[in-house]
Amino acid sequence: MNSRTSRPPARSASRPLLAERHVARLLVGTLAGRLPNGMAPVAILLLIAEQGGSLAAGGLLCALYGLASAIGQPALGRMVDRRGQTRVTAAAVLITTVCLLLLPYFDAVLQPALAAGLVVLAGLSTPPLEANLRALWGAVLPDPERRRAALALDTGAQGLIYVAGPPLVALLSAVHGPGVAMTVTAVLGLLGATTVLSAAPSRAWRPAVARAGGFLGPLQRGGLRLLFLAVGGVGFALGSMNVWAVAMADRHGVALLSGLIPALSIGSLVGGILYGRRRWPGRLSSQLVTAALLFAAAWVPLTLGPGPLAATAFTALPGLFLTALITSAFLTVDALAPAGTRTEAYAWLIAAVGTGQAAGTALAGVLSTGPSAAALPAAGAVACLGVLLGTRRRLATPGKPRPRGRHRRSPAHAEHR
């Protein structure tokens, strides 16, 4: 049995990762299905502006969307761990698609409660595609190093959501209006989720037989709770950047800047490729702290008030280190999550980022015209670094459980490989 599991990695180790069976489909489908995460906040901001609402009101609606999504992800992740991916995710994507399609038909200024309700429901039902994908890598790629490379590529490629999504919304809004942009957002999310859910690994995925997490699930682990708190600072940086970018676009009269500035450019994807191509020295906790330090330092140039072109270029710098930081965080979750709670644990990490984004979006909406707005992303990154520095001892042993984590995963998938 051991020889059977060791041969496939040896034969495929030199193959391009995207040439592995199912990898490209799952990755592209997940990216398309998650495009609403990057498109919807900008579309909401522009839709509210077209209807005569303030940037602060649009920022609060975006915060509601992000906060609802953050709350919904762990609950949906727990349901996936118990009932499988297909039914739970399909129901979620249908609900969020309908809500986004309906939103342009209501005036958020005249009917704020109804608009807020649709935004909240769309957020709560955001399909847990990212957590699902992280849970699938163990079945698709038996070799641990290939899984690590896939996770790095996956994490780095998530930046494309914010590279492609906001500019697409800005372009569609400029040409056809924010209502069309919101409709395209909803349709792209539905198509992407369908691509993933119809793939064989997702259809075959079954929950782990044993669930050791209890009522609290992965939150029973103190180290994970502190890690989730830390990555909330990363989300705060990204969320505040979205609103600051729209404010800068208004100030300079260049609509496309609302999409280009928060994209973190192509740096995230480049960082993912570089991170996945080699092994990094030191403990995982040290890698986390180092990546957080570089991520925080990379925001400093944006606090100096650069012009639009310089600011767009500077957004590539945080992206380079964002991938290493988030990938290390997911590897830590993989090591520490109790058996049968892996999807939920991934979802909590994603939710922590989403909660931080919601807080950053709301605060940046209030401070969008003030001089401190440009410093908010750096503040979030520094907060992340501070928590990780204080938590380092609690996260100092993820290297030891990693083989055990892989062992726990393989029985859950052995019967449908």
Side-chain angles (χ1 to χ4, degrees):
M1 187 170 180
N2 290 337
S3 61
R4 287 184 61 190
T5 57
S6 61
R7 277 197 302 267
R11 287 198 305 265
S12 62
S14 61
R15 294 176 60 188
L17 191 61
L18 292 177
E20 296 282 1
R21 191 181 181 193
H22 303 303
V23 169
R25 177 175 180 172
L26 291 174
L27 183 59
V28 173
T30 299
L31 288 175
R34 294 190 63 242
L35 274 173
N37 293 26
M39 296 175 68
V42 179
I44 291 171
L45 284 171
L46 297 177
L47 185 65
I48 299 305
E50 184 191 50
Q51 294 173 349
S54 65
L55 186 60
L60 288 175
L61 271 185
C62 289
L64 281 176
Y65 175 79
L67 183 60
S69 178
I71 293 171
Q73 289 298 293
L76 291 170
R78 178 170 291 198
M79 293 172 67
V80 168
D81 277 329
R82 294 179 175 179
R83 302 178 185 178
Q85 293 190 1
T86 306
R87 287 184 297 173
V88 174
T89 309
V93 73
L94 287 175
I95 294 173
T96 197
T97 299
V98 170
C99 290
L100 292 178
L101 287 174
L102 289 176
L103 193 57
Y105 293 95
F106 298 93
D107 192 318
V109 177
L110 299 178
Q111 302 166 295
L114 184 55
L118 287 173
V119 166
V120 169
L121 186 55
L124 287 173
S125 58
T126 299
L129 293 172
E130 186 177 0
N132 286 357
L133 180 61
R134 304 292 162 62
L136 287 174
W137 286 136
V140 175
L141 298 168
D143 176 49
E145 284 304 314
R146 300 291 275 176
R147 285 201 301 269
R148 179 182 174 278
L151 181 59
L153 178 61
D154 167 13
T155 303
Q158 300 302 321
L160 293 176
I161 295 170
Y162 303 98
V163 170
L168 179 58
V169 169
L171 179 61
L172 289 171
S173 296
V175 177
H176 300 289
V180 171
M182 185 67 77
T183 300
V184 172
T185 297
V187 172
L188 285 175
L190 177 62
L191 291 176
T194 301
T195 300
V196 173
L197 293 176
S198 59
S202 181
R203 289 186 285 108
W205 192 89
R206 295 294 180 271
V209 176
R211 180 180 173 84
F215 176 75
L216 291 178
L219 294 182
Q220 69 176 294
R221 299 287 171 86
L224 286 180
R225 294 196 300 269
L226 292 169
L227 176 63
F228 299 153
L229 177 63
V231 298
V234 177
F236 186 94
L238 300 177
S240 58
M241 192 66 183
N242 275 330
V243 178
W244 180 61
V246 173
M248 175 175 277
D250 289 342
R251 189 162 59 249
H252 292 278
V254 183
L256 286 178
L257 286 176
S258 62
L260 290 175
I261 296 293
L264 300 187
S265 190
I266 208 69
S268 180
L269 180 59
V270 173
I273 294 172
L274 294 176
Y275 183 84
R277 287 177 65 89
R278 56 164 294 180
R279 296 185 181 184
W280 296 90
R283 285 183 171 273
L284 200 51
S285 56
S286 298
Q287 294 178 26
L288 270 169
V289 171
T290 301
L293 175 62
L294 294 171
F295 181 69
W299 287 105
V300 172
L302 290 168
T303 67
L304 304 177
L309 294 179
T312 301
F314 284 147
T315 56
L317 297 177
L320 285 172
F321 308 111
L322 172 64
T323 298
L325 177 55
I326 296 298
T327 301
S328 298
F330 271 110
L331 290 172
T332 304
V333 168
D334 186 65
L336 297 182
T341 68
R342 186 162 283 107
T343 306
E344 182 184 350
Y346 293 150
W348 272 111
L349 182 62
I350 297 162
V353 176
T355 303
Q357 282 183 300
T361 299
L363 186 58
V366 174
L367 302 177
S368 58
T369 58
S372 61
L376 289 178
V382 169
C384 172
L385 175 62
V387 174
L388 287 178
L389 285 172
T391 311
R392 198 168 180 179
R393 291 188 177 182
R394 302 290 295 272
L395 301 174
T397 58
K400 295 179 181 179
R402 284 182 69 185
R404 185 178 59 179
R406 292 194 297 268
H407 176 73
R408 288 199 308 265
R409 180 190 293 111
S410 52
H413 300 289
E415 59 187 37
H416 51 264
R417 264 193 204 138

